[in-house]
Amino acid sequence: MIGRHKHCIALADYSRAEILEVLDLAVSMKEVLQRPIKKVPSLRGKSVVNLFFEASTRTRSSFEIAAKVLSADALNWTSSSSSVTKGETLIDTARNLEAMRPDVLVIRHSAGGAPQLVAEHVGCAVVSAGDGAHEHPSQGLLDCFTLREKLGTLEGKTVAIVGDISHSRVARSDIHAMTKLGARVRLCGPPTMIPAGVEALGATVHYGLREAIEGADAVVMLRIQHERIGDPLIPGTREYSKLWGLNAKKAAEWLRPECVILHPGPINRGVELSPEVADGPQSVILDQVQNGVAVRMAILYLLAGGNPPESGEAKA
């Protein structure tokens, strides 16, 4: 359990204390990753199934690594090589996998609400690895973990989230988590990519990049979600980059020197971020990737009911 939750599906449902429970445990999990032998028996005998209906590199790999570091058995499942191609439904797929008695089912799906639907039909814990344009809770948690690590706290900090807000599940999870941890969140992007009424989530809306990022403590740059957009919402990526992309000149003139830059990946280099910025000293993108393993270790540990890693423990 994470607080009162059996599943990790939406940070909108999580309290500040429940979010902090995951982040605080992730500190210990990251310490395990620094050891010469990156293995603890905390989830020995437990099993995790990664059920991915969408392509993924970072998220699926980090859930698999997280499970294996904790000594759980991990099974990776992809829709392209399954009975889904023969017409099997999502619920039937989930029930068949649950019959193999996994402790945690990690699911990514293009339809918003799919993890919740699965959770209502299986007995094991369910973790959303991203569903449609709804939420991506583990990404929101790892973004907060990275910011706490770099800034010390999110309380009173200003975070700008720039890009395709309408179609971004990361943006929604970030807003829910960051505002609960005391951050001020600014949203920025083309008017066609800002959902109506998003201010109700506790964020302010800006359409100019400069006003959004000036004075911010952190900037989260988002990718244009081409795969979730029907008709084009912008004239083209060239125009988007000119108005809302962050290059070295804008970063030098508009960002505070101590401001950190995040991106959930994959990066469209030259569109939302120039290579100089993506690989520059203010970028913490690779830190996000490493922290993603620690945070997902914490999520799996809490939901699978593991035993805490002892200090200095590094045996299988």
Side-chain angles (χ1 to χ4, degrees):
M1 302 284 285
I2 299 176
R4 67 190 189 283
H5 299 283
K6 179 181 178 180
H7 310 292
C8 182
I9 293 173
L11 297 184
D13 302 329
Y14 275 51
S15 67
R16 173 188 171 94
E18 289 162 343
I19 291 169
L20 289 173
E21 179 183 7
V22 179
L23 300 186
D24 291 341
L25 179 58
V27 175
S28 299
M29 295 303 180
K30 187 167 183 179
E31 186 271 326
V32 172
L33 296 174
Q34 313 300 324
R35 299 176 185 177
I37 301 176
K38 302 168 183 64
K39 193 85 163 177
V40 291
S42 303
L43 291 185
R44 179 187 287 157
K46 306 286 186 177
S47 59
V48 177
V49 174
N50 292 323
L51 183 60
F52 277 65
F53 290 86
E54 282 188 322
S56 171
T57 300
R58 284 157 298 279
T59 303
R60 191 178 71 175
S61 298
S62 62
F63 268 114
E64 181 182 5
I65 292 170
K68 289 181 176 179
V69 171
L70 294 170
S71 298
D73 295 314
L75 169 66
N76 284 326
W77 180 100
T78 55
S79 59
S80 61
S81 58
S82 75
S83 292
V84 167
T85 60
K86 303 175 184 177
E88 186 173 71
T89 67
L90 170 63
I91 296 304
D92 282 341
T93 298
R95 282 175 167 165
N96 276 284
L97 288 170
E98 192 205 12
M100 301 176 194
R101 314 308 299 167
D103 296 281
V104 182
L105 196 58
V106 180
I107 177 170
R108 168 172 284 192
H109 201 282
S110 60
Q116 180 62 45
L117 180 65
V118 168
E120 292 168 1
H121 288 83
V122 299
C124 63
V126 174
V127 178
S128 170
D131 56 325
H134 175 224
E135 277 211 46
H136 193 345
S138 63
Q139 183 70 44
L141 289 166
L142 76 88
D143 286 351
C144 288
F145 182 90
T146 302
L147 290 180
R148 279 214 316 176
E149 194 175 63
K150 298 300 178 181
L151 305 178
T153 180
L154 274 83
E155 194 70 48
K157 302 298 184 182
T158 298
V159 181
I161 304 176
V162 181
D164 184 4
I165 308 297
S166 290
H167 299 89
S168 175
R169 52 198 176 202
V170 173
R172 282 168 178 76
S173 290
D174 276 354
I175 294 167
H176 289 305
M178 291 174 184
T179 54
K180 287 172 182 175
L181 296 180
R184 296 182 293 268
V185 177
R186 302 172 183 171
L187 303 178
C188 176
T192 52
M193 291 182 168
I194 304 288
V198 72
E199 296 92 339
L201 298 181
T204 58
V205 172
H206 308 262
Y207 298 110
L209 180 64
R210 181 170 186 168
E211 67 172 303
I213 68 175
E214 269 192 330
D217 299 286
V219 177
V220 181
M221 301 298 294
L222 301 173
R223 178 178 63 89
I224 300 173
Q225 307 287 312
H226 291 292
E227 68 276 16
R228 298 189 197 117
I229 298 173
D231 295 327
L233 299 177
I234 53 174
T237 54
R238 193 170 185 179
E239 171 120 359
Y240 180 91
S241 178
K242 180 180 178 182
L243 295 175
W244 293 283
L246 186 59
N247 59 27
K249 184 174 186 295
K250 293 176 187 175
E253 293 178 358
W254 299 347
L255 292 183
R256 300 169 60 197
E258 61 272 25
C259 178
V260 294
I261 299 166
L262 298 83
H263 193 297
I267 304 170
N268 286 322
R269 289 174 177 261
V271 181
E272 66 267 18
L273 279 177
S274 69
E276 296 81 11
V277 176
D279 302 324
Q282 290 175 282
S283 171
V284 295
I285 295 170
L286 293 181
D287 295 272
Q288 288 175 273
V289 176
Q290 183 183 57
N291 291 339
V293 177
V295 167
R296 286 159 182 145
M297 285 172 66
I299 292 169
L300 294 178
Y301 169 84
L302 290 168
L303 294 182
N307 299 309
E310 296 177 8
S311 178
E313 181 181 60
K315 59 186 180 182

